[in-house]
Amino acid sequence: MKRNGTATRFGVIDGDGRGRSLRDRIAMPAPPDLSAPELAADMAELFALGLVQDLRAEALQDPHCAVRIDGATRFTMHELLCELRNLSWFDARVPLAGTGPNRSPDVQPGQMGASQRRALRCNADFQLTLETLLRGGVVLRGGGPVLSAFWDSDHMEPHPKREAGVWPTEEAAMSEWIGWCAEHSQAGLRLPWAAVRPQQDPSLGDRAETLHRTPPARPFHNATLVALARGTNMAPGLPGTWTGSRLFALMAEGEALASRFARAQVSEKGRMPRPAVTAARMTVWLGSEEGVSAPDSDTHRAAAEELVSAAPNLVHWVSRANRARRGPQRFEASLFLPLAGPERQHLTPSDLGAHAVVAGVLATLVKAVFDTSRRTQLQAVGQGGPVLALEDQTDRLAANIGLMRCVTGGYFPAENIQDLRLGQAIALHLLRDRLEQDNRSAQMGFRDFDGQSLQLVSHPRRFGRGYAELRRDGEPIAWPQEAGHPAAHLTAVS
């Protein structure tokens, strides 16, 4: 308090923790804790995608499409779907298992519970379909092709890739950002007549292998450059200070944060073992040769037994595929992952460690900052390419990245669901930080990965930072995965 003559002036005491770094304001989510039915369903989905990896993505929605494993074994997509539907996790008539006192589906805001993960795998009638099987943990609007057109239009500029480091400022010219993209992620603008479409539509496995060699941000950098080149407007509720350069600055910061979180997850206590390890354990347990009891052995044993009892044909097909691709097997039920020949067995899960979190961040930033109203369309590939809704194709691109991580057998579907939403939370906190720094009236809205409408609304204050709130369908909600504030303390007195 100050005294100036007879007047009394009060200063502001700021103890809300805003001085902490953005990284410290976002809570690391706990690793997914899967019950036996969910683990069986996740493993079954990985086995299914491994079995069909030699097909084109679009063929997977044809129930009559046949898959041949060897000279004596074949099945159709409909038969594969029926095997998955036999599992209790995909049966709406079966109560959700594993959600007692120690596994409650009620979680903190921004966290993803078991009941939500279960619902994401099915349609509105709670039925697993070929379409929902392939949507990578994202609620996609309508039908349409499995793959985003941004996936096909992704390309690599002939520039040497450099590690993440200092990037241009928000005020830098777009030419600087184009140069940075070329060096950092090998993304860049491509002239319409220079676009070269592949002569053959690659298989799901080919695309997954390509993703292992693709920098996480490149597809989104390419998509954003295309959107800016086509004159796509920023969200109508944003002031003129929001430019392409600011969007790229947010994307660069978001990618760096996502990579840090992804690296921290690797050493997180209680992290799930890789699917290949789980598949090997299941194989040994089913062969009655497991002699050591592990803390999670009961869950894994129960999941393996459900696979054998509820989806015996799937187990048979996987065992035949392993014999065809790996040679003679000593186990009758051979469930080893990945289900790939020698040409793809070198692909390691660590190659894709950050891809889903980065996809969650960048897809959210693109959807929020650009005008993604229903009338907004984007000519994606040259003048003769398809006209696409920007928001739908961005969501589909994030879903494709999650799907390809499962095709190679390196990550559980539950991990994709969590990583995409961790990235979404990082992006929301980034946008909140910028809106409050600007201290101006602003608004942006988009559809999140769960198909819900989110709005960010910023209110100016007479001094200092503004105040931004997050709304769902117009109602205020908590910011996702917000770390608890430190204990209140006095930081400044004037």
Side-chain angles (χ1 to χ4, degrees):
M1 181 172 66
K2 290 185 179 179
R3 293 189 179 274
N4 184 5
T6 59
T8 300
R9 298 179 181 177
F10 292 91
V12 177
I13 298 177
D14 184 6
D16 65 354
R18 290 293 171 83
R20 295 180 295 162
S21 69
L22 188 60
R23 165 65 180 85
D24 294 331
R25 283 184 258 149
I26 303 171
M28 173 76 77
D33 185 17
L34 306 189
S35 62
E38 185 175 8
L39 180 61
D42 270 27
M43 292 300 294
E45 185 170 331
L46 295 179
F47 292 141
L49 291 173
L51 289 170
V52 301
Q53 63 183 295
D54 292 331
L55 298 179
R56 294 180 299 106
E58 286 69 22
L60 303 182
Q61 291 184 311
D62 178 7
H64 304 292
C65 180
V67 180
R68 183 170 295 279
I69 296 175
D70 53 32
T73 311
R74 67 184 293 277
F75 60 87
T76 65
M77 290 300 298
H78 174 71
E79 291 172 323
L80 179 62
L81 181 64
C82 289
E83 287 295 296
L84 296 176
R85 283 181 169 179
N86 288 337
L87 297 169
S88 61
W89 189 256
F90 295 126
D91 189 346
R93 298 167 298 179
V94 178
L96 181 61
T99 54
N102 297 325
R103 291 180 184 267
S104 172
D106 298 324
V107 292
Q108 296 299 316
Q111 300 282 345
M112 178 63 66
S115 58
Q116 294 167 292
R117 291 196 298 268
R118 190 187 194 197
L120 273 170
R121 311 285 278 281
C122 302
N123 62 12
D125 298 323
F126 211 94
Q127 288 184 326
L128 180 70
T129 67
L130 291 178
E131 183 176 318
T132 59
L133 176 65
L134 301 172
R135 65 186 184 186
V138 178
V139 177
L140 300 174
R141 182 180 297 170
V146 174
L147 299 179
S148 169
F150 290 143
W151 183 278
D152 280 331
S153 63
D154 180 49
H155 61 276
M156 181 178 66
E157 288 295 302
H159 290 275
K161 181 182 179 297
R162 66 178 180 184
E163 296 297 324
V166 179
W167 48 81
T169 65
E170 294 183 2
E171 296 78 23
M174 272 305 301
S175 57
E176 292 188 42
W177 279 106
I178 292 174
W180 179 83
C181 286
E183 295 179 349
H184 172 68
S185 67
Q186 297 175 303
L189 284 170
R190 173 173 287 182
L191 297 174
W193 55 85
V196 178
R197 298 189 64 82
Q199 295 181 351
Q200 286 187 324
D201 192 2
S203 68
L204 210 62
D206 292 335
R207 292 181 181 276
E209 185 175 358
T210 299
L211 184 64
H212 276 259
R213 302 190 300 267
T214 300
R218 192 182 75 197
F220 295 94
H221 286 168
N222 277 326
T224 303
L225 289 171
V226 169
L228 292 171
R230 298 293 179 189
T232 305
N233 295 324
M234 299 294 167
L238 294 177
T241 53
W242 285 77
T243 63
S245 293
R246 168 168 271 203
L247 174 56
F248 269 108
L250 284 168
M251 293 173 76
E253 186 176 354
E255 181 191 358
L257 277 171
S259 298
R260 288 184 61 186
F261 273 97
R263 288 194 297 270
Q265 283 181 322
V266 173
S267 57
E268 186 77 0
K269 182 179 180 181
R271 181 180 184 240
M272 299 173 66
R274 293 304 83 210
V277 175
T278 300
R281 288 176 177 173
M282 285 182 168
T283 299
V284 175
W285 287 329
L286 292 175
S288 301
E289 297 185 19
E290 177 60 63
V292 180
S293 177
D296 57 354
S297 61
D298 290 343
T299 298
H300 286 69
R301 283 180 187 273
E305 290 169 359
E306 181 174 357
L307 282 172
V308 171
S309 62
N313 289 326
L314 176 63
V315 172
H316 172 68
W317 297 331
V318 172
S319 301
R320 297 289 296 186
N322 269 312
R323 291 186 181 91
R325 298 173 182 181
R326 296 174 182 264
Q329 302 288 297
R330 61 177 292 189
F331 300 99
E332 181 179 354
S334 179
L335 303 181
F336 296 111
L337 284 173
L339 288 176
E343 71 281 0
R344 292 195 188 122
Q345 289 184 10
H346 69 283
L347 302 177
T348 60
S350 60
D351 294 340
L352 304 180
H355 278 64
V357 186
V358 171
V361 174
L362 302 191
T364 301
L365 291 174
V366 168
K367 292 186 297 181
V369 175
F370 279 123
D371 180 4
T372 55
S373 58
R374 296 292 295 230
R375 67 179 183 276
T376 302
Q377 301 291 313
L378 174 70
Q379 192 80 20
V381 186
Q383 296 296 332
V387 178
L388 306 158
L390 176 59
E391 185 175 60
D392 292 343
Q393 292 301 314
T394 304
D395 271 343
R396 207 169 289 274
L397 178 57
N400 292 162
I401 289 172
L403 177 66
M404 299 310 165
R405 293 210 312 173
C406 287
V407 169
T408 56
Y411 291 85
F412 291 96
E415 291 180 298
N416 286 328
I417 292 171
Q418 177 173 280
D419 286 355
L420 286 173
R421 283 149 187 81
L422 170 60
Q424 179 174 273
I426 293 171
L428 288 172
H429 284 282
L430 271 171
L431 292 168
R432 175 191 187 183
D433 195 57
R434 288 300 193 278
L435 290 172
E436 292 185 345
Q437 285 179 14
D438 288 350
N439 197 18
R440 301 177 64 172
S441 294
Q443 183 172 347
M444 59 181 73
F446 65 96
R447 188 167 50 91
D448 68 8
F449 293 133
D450 298 315
Q452 298 175 320
S453 176
L454 295 184
Q455 303 86 36
L456 289 84
V457 183
S458 177
H459 309 280
R461 288 171 169 163
R462 294 182 61 185
F463 48 82
R465 295 171 63 100
Y467 169 70
E469 61 177 338
L470 180 64
R471 299 176 182 175
R472 177 182 294 127
D473 296 324
E475 296 295 326
I477 61 172
W479 292 92
Q481 294 175 206
E482 183 172 20
H485 290 302
H489 60 279
L490 193 66
T491 58
V493 178
S494 61

